[in-house]
Amino acid sequence: MGRSLYLIVLGPAGSGKTTLTAAFGSWLSEVQEARVAYVNLDPGADYLPYKPDVDARDYVTVEALMREKGLGPNGALVESMQALCERETEILEKVSRLEADIVLVDTPGQMELFLFHDVGPAFSRELAKRGATVALVLFDSGLAKSPSHFATLRLISLVVQLRLDVPTVAALNKGDSARP
Ligand SMILES: Nc1nc2c(ncn2[C@@H]2O[C@H](COP(=O)(O)OP(=O)(O)OP(=O)(O)O)[C@@H](O)[C@H]2O)c(=O)[nH]1
Ligand SMILES: [Mg+2]
């Protein structure tokens, strides 16, 4: 089995991670004829426009934690990151078995939880041992309205690079909805 390229898609809430994961994956498989696999690491995801080959929600969901432990959405999200960390070996084993040229990894909306908890760095470190790993950090282009906005986005992507310790590409997304 050949080694895969892992692309970890990150970005602030609503920056278009899930939509881009699905659209980029379709383009890669249909136009580039690449073998694509999808990993969802967002335990809070409701609907996904792609079919995940490995899904965090098989291990933990934010909804179940809220119901079973009486937690609010943020408390449940923090707890779900801990649960993912505990199942990390199992999840990574599944990811390692994927036969794909490129594995697209969709991450939680609350980027800071994934980054500042152990879970994000632990996953990227382990993926990087298995194949070339790159982080793609998306920003809603509507937020880059001035040089200071743009500098802030660059700083956020630097934080991603420092935490995940893999090459990081920052990209302005939702270009069609940007207003002058
Ligand atoms: N106009 C426009 N809307 C987009 C684009 N990409 C995503 N959206 C919309 O933006 C919203 C958020 O998109 P998602 O793909 O769910 O974003 P996300 O970063 O995965 O969101 P969370 O996981 O909740 O943080 C949805 O309503 C999408 O339809 C785009 O390129 N252009
Ligand atoms: Mg999403």
Side-chain angles (χ1 to χ4, degrees):
M1 187 174 23
R3 277 159 75 89
S4 303
L5 169 73
Y6 299 101
L7 184 71
I8 309 174
V9 184
L10 302 110
S15 55
K17 301 175 288 295
T18 299
T19 305
L20 187 94
T21 298
F24 189 40
S26 304
W27 179 80
L28 284 167
S29 56
E30 285 161 25
V31 181
Q32 300 297 317
E33 297 181 359
R35 293 172 309 159
V36 179
Y38 300 89
V39 176
N40 171 47
L41 290 184
D42 185 358
D46 182 11
Y47 162 75
L48 294 177
Y50 57 85
K51 188 174 172 299
D53 298 280
V54 180
D55 194 345
R57 297 172 304 174
D58 292 341
Y59 301 90
V60 60
T61 66
V62 170
E63 203 192 345
L65 286 173
M66 287 172 69
R67 200 176 48 241
E68 287 159 16
K69 298 200 172 185
L71 296 167
N74 287 327
L77 263 168
V78 172
E79 191 111 340
S80 71
M81 292 297 112
Q82 184 56 38
L84 279 189
C85 245
E86 284 161 15
R87 310 296 289 273
E88 181 201 328
T89 310
E90 212 175 325
I91 297 172
L92 281 162
E93 240 168 58
K94 269 194 174 181
V95 173
S96 300
R97 285 199 296 269
L98 295 171
E99 297 207 21
D101 301 309
I102 179 156
V103 178
L104 302 176
V105 183
D106 191 9
T107 60
Q110 282 67 9
M111 181 174 69
E112 73 281 10
L113 276 182
F114 185 75
L115 285 179
F116 297 133
H117 194 282
D118 288 343
V119 69
F123 268 95
S124 70
R125 187 173 53 241
E126 289 304 319
L127 290 178
K129 286 181 192 164
R130 291 162 169 79
T133 302
V134 174
L136 172 65
V137 193
L138 301 180
F139 298 105
D140 189 326
S141 49
L143 299 178
K145 288 182 180 145
S146 66
S148 69
H149 276 104
F150 187 70
T152 309
L153 304 184
R154 294 295 295 137
L155 288 172
I156 294 173
S157 58
L158 187 60
V159 170
V160 172
Q161 181 155 5
L162 286 170
R163 288 294 295 161
L164 299 191
D165 198 22
V166 293
T168 300
V169 178
L172 291 175
N173 198 25
K174 299 187 174 183
D176 62 305
S177 64
R179 288 183 203 89

